[in-house]
Structure formats: structure tokens, C-alpha cells
Amino acid sequence: MNTKNKGGRPPKFKSPEEMQKKIDDYFTQCEGKVLTDTEGKAVLDKYGNPVIVGAKPPTVTGLALALGFTSRQALLNYQARPKFIDTIMRAKSRCEEYAESRLYDREGVRGATFSLTNNFKGWSNCPEQTEESEVLKKAKEILEGVNSVI
């Protein structure tokens, strides 16, 4: 019986379900935790909302590292495996949705614009398209709407 080694590194994940568990863990960690007092009650801010500590924005690079990849590109390369494409695309879309939602607040608009134009298809900041990118125009419209409310 000849059991010849096929060579190469074994796959990081045996199934999409195994990968999905780690993805869910990553997004749960990004949410942070509610700060509690010595009695275990939630500490509230001046608006009555619970104070969240340890929250961080979900990013494609953060996702890649949480899954055990050495880089964002390694995750993108793994996405080429038909078995994992939907799982990885859905996780990347969650990161994209977060960045897109930051277009609606003053503090996050520049970082969100950068992330969307450089990390996700369909968002562009190319000068040949228009003098001002569509993402930047939309961000400015949103900010003008926020400023008029304030």
C-alpha cells in the first residue's frame, strides 16, 4: 500500500462551519463588554446607555488574524477555495457594513472612506471617474444632513 504524501500544508479549516465559529467569535470580541460596577450592575453613561469597554472596529485584517492567517492577503487567497467563498464573503461584508455605517458619523467618515475604497469592490476613489469620488460626495451629503440637524 503506497500512501504517498500529496505535499503542501494541510488546510487551516476542515469545514465552513468550523471557520464560521471562529468568525462569530471574532465579531463577538469586536463588540466589547458592558462595564459593570462592584454589584454587577451595568455602568451607564450620561445618556443612560451602558458603557462598553474593549470594543473595536471589525476589519478584514483583524478577521484574518483572528482566523490564524498571517495577513489579509492570506485570507483573500483562502477565499478562492470554493468551499469557503460564501463564508468568507459574508464575513467580509460584515466588515464592509461597519465601515459603511461610519460614513454617517463625523469622526469615522475619513477612515471609512479609505477602508471602503481600498478594501471592497464597488467603492472607488479614482480621479478619472469624477473630480470627487462618489463615496466622498455621499459622505459630505451625510455630514451636511447631520450638521443641519445639530
Side-chain angles (χ1 to χ4, degrees):
M1 182 174 178
N2 188 359
T3 56
K4 190 174 180 179
N5 184 354
K6 292 181 182 178
R9 179 179 290 172
K12 277 200 173 300
F13 298 97
K14 293 181 177 127
S15 70
E17 294 77 20
E18 178 187 358
M19 177 183 268
Q20 186 63 54
K21 174 150 180 24
K22 285 202 164 219
I23 289 169
D24 292 340
D25 291 345
Y26 170 70
F27 285 108
T28 298
Q29 288 173 1
C30 288
E31 293 171 4
K33 297 192 184 303
V34 174
L35 181 64
T36 57
D37 61 18
T38 55
E39 297 174 3
K41 294 180 183 174
V43 175
L44 304 178
D45 64 15
K46 65 182 180 181
Y47 303 108
N49 299 315
V51 174
I52 306 295
V53 293
K56 62 182 183 177
T59 64
V60 176
T61 302
L63 175 65
L65 295 173
L67 292 174
F69 294 101
T70 56
S71 68
R72 175 182 161 279
Q73 189 59 52
L75 173 65
L76 299 179
N77 294 344
Y78 210 83
Q79 180 180 316
R81 298 172 184 228
K83 186 166 139 177
F84 294 97
I85 189 168
D86 287 340
T87 304
I88 294 172
M89 288 292 294
R90 192 170 34 260
K92 286 175 40 188
S93 291
R94 289 176 72 179
C95 295
E96 180 180 14
E97 186 275 332
Y98 173 81
E100 185 178 351
S101 72
R102 291 303 306 264
L103 293 173
Y104 292 92
D105 66 62
R106 234 183 289 192
E107 292 80 28
V109 73
R110 286 185 184 238
T113 301
F114 176 83
S115 179
L116 290 167
T117 56
N118 289 290
N119 291 316
F120 301 100
K121 290 182 181 180
W123 297 89
S124 181
N125 200 8
C126 298
E128 60 268 7
Q129 260 192 335
T130 61
E131 196 169 304
E132 192 171 51
S133 79
E134 294 302 314
V135 173
L136 193 54
K137 280 183 186 177
K138 187 67 175 170
K140 284 182 178 180
E141 287 175 24
I142 292 166
L143 281 176
E144 287 171 8
V146 169
N147 287 336
S148 68
V149 172
I150 297 174

